[in-house]
Structures are given as structure tokens and as C-alpha cells.
Amino acid sequence: AARLFLVVVGLVTAVITIKPQVEWGVTLAAEMRDEMRKKGVKEDDLPPLPDEAKAQSDGIRNMAIVSIATATWPFVMARRRL
């Protein structure tokens, strides 16, 4: 029961903080591109900027997968022992 409670709390916290995390990631990628440009890297060789909407949906999907795996793992292990 405690594990499930912690999974729910973690999932809610992750959903609340996903937008600032994605914005930070896009900003960081843009700053890295600017620094690479300053060092003479050609525009075609720069890594692409991440799409904010796609990054957010990927993050939510990954959080759901990890939450389900974390919540079900004790049941999987208990079944193996039977």
C-alpha cells in the first residue's frame, strides 16, 4: 500500500513539474547550440532543437511506463515465489 501511495505521489509530482522541465531542456539545448555556433560549428552540423510538445508527451508516456512498472514489480516478484 505504501509503495502504491508513493507511486501516485511521484506521478502527480512529475506531471506537475513536466512543463518546467521541458522548457528548461529546450532552453539548455538552444544555449548549447549557441555555444557551438560561437566555436565555429556549421549550422547543418548542429543538433536539432527538441520539439517542446513532443518532449512533453514523451515525458508523460515515460512517467506512466515507469510508474506502472514500479507499482506492479512487487506483485510480479511475489508471483514468481509462489
Side-chain angles (χ1 to χ4, degrees), residues 33-65:
R33 286 172 50 96
D34 289 343
E35 288 300 316
M36 292 172 78
R37 263 191 217 100
K38 289 177 185 176
K39 292 182 179 180
V41 176
K42 296 178 186 173
E43 192 68 31
D44 292 339
D45 295 335
L46 293 173
L49 275 175
D51 178 34
E52 202 168 315
K54 183 177 180 334
Q56 190 167 350
S57 68
D58 289 349
I60 291 172
R61 183 196 68 229
N62 292 340
M63 284 185 289
I65 290 169

Side-chain angles (χ1 to χ4, degrees), residues 1-16 63-64 66-72:
R3 178 180 283 261
L4 293 177
F5 173 75
L6 291 175
V7 167
V8 170
V9 169
L11 186 59
V12 169
T13 303
V15 168
I16 290 171
M63 284 185 289
V66 169
S67 295
I68 290 169
T70 303
T72 58

Side-chain angles (χ1 to χ4, degrees), residues 21-34 49-50 52:
Q21 289 178 23
V22 168
E23 290 171 354
W24 176 79
V26 171
T27 301
L28 182 63
E31 290 174 1
M32 287 172 41
R33 286 172 50 96
D34 289 343
L49 275 175
E52 202 168 315

